[in-house]
Amino acid sequence: MPIVVDIDVMLARRKMSVGELADRVGITPANLAVLKNGRAKAVRFSTLAALCEVLTCQPGDLLRWEAEDAVDAGDAVGADETVGAPGE
């Protein structure tokens, strides 16, 4: 999945355990582990906000996007091409 969860990084910076974070956020350690290990399909904004509040960070400190594969130069849109709505 191209969205990477960096909760481990923030936990290490804050010297906090997964159990303590789960307690303070109000979710189970199992659910936090699912999120932390990148197996979650979604995260509620309220949970993300609570994580940010407890860890005193921004959502971008916890989540980042990584391209799955580099785009092949032949597949990229050229500088003189425009991408528009379907049918344009």
Side-chain angles (χ1 to χ4, degrees), residues 6 22 26 38-39 45-46 61 74-75 81:
D6 287 328
R39 295 188 318 262
F45 282 156
S46 59
D61 296 326
D75 294 338
E81 294 180 52

Side-chain angles (χ1 to χ4, degrees), residues 4 18 27 31 45-46 49 51-52 54 60 74 76 78:
V4 179
V18 173
I27 62 175
N31 283 341
F45 282 156
S46 59
L51 286 165
C52 290
V54 170

Side-chain angles (χ1 to χ4, degrees), residues 9-83:
V9 174
M10 294 308 295
L11 283 172
R13 287 183 183 164
R14 304 297 187 256
K15 296 180 173 70
M16 189 180 298
S17 71
V18 173
E20 180 183 353
L21 179 59
D23 249 4
R24 293 177 63 183
V25 170
I27 62 175
T28 66
N31 283 341
L32 182 57
V34 167
L35 180 60
K36 185 175 79 72
N37 295 324
R39 295 188 318 262
K41 300 286 186 207
V43 61
R44 288 187 175 120
F45 282 156
S46 59
T47 302
L48 183 58
L51 286 165
C52 290
E53 183 176 348
V54 170
L55 293 169
T56 57
C57 66
Q58 294 294 313
D61 296 326
L62 301 177
L63 304 172
R64 63 187 160 87
W65 177 80
E66 280 188 358
E68 289 185 34
D69 296 316
V71 175
D72 182 25
D75 294 338
V77 174
D80 59 340
E81 294 180 52
T82 303
V83 177

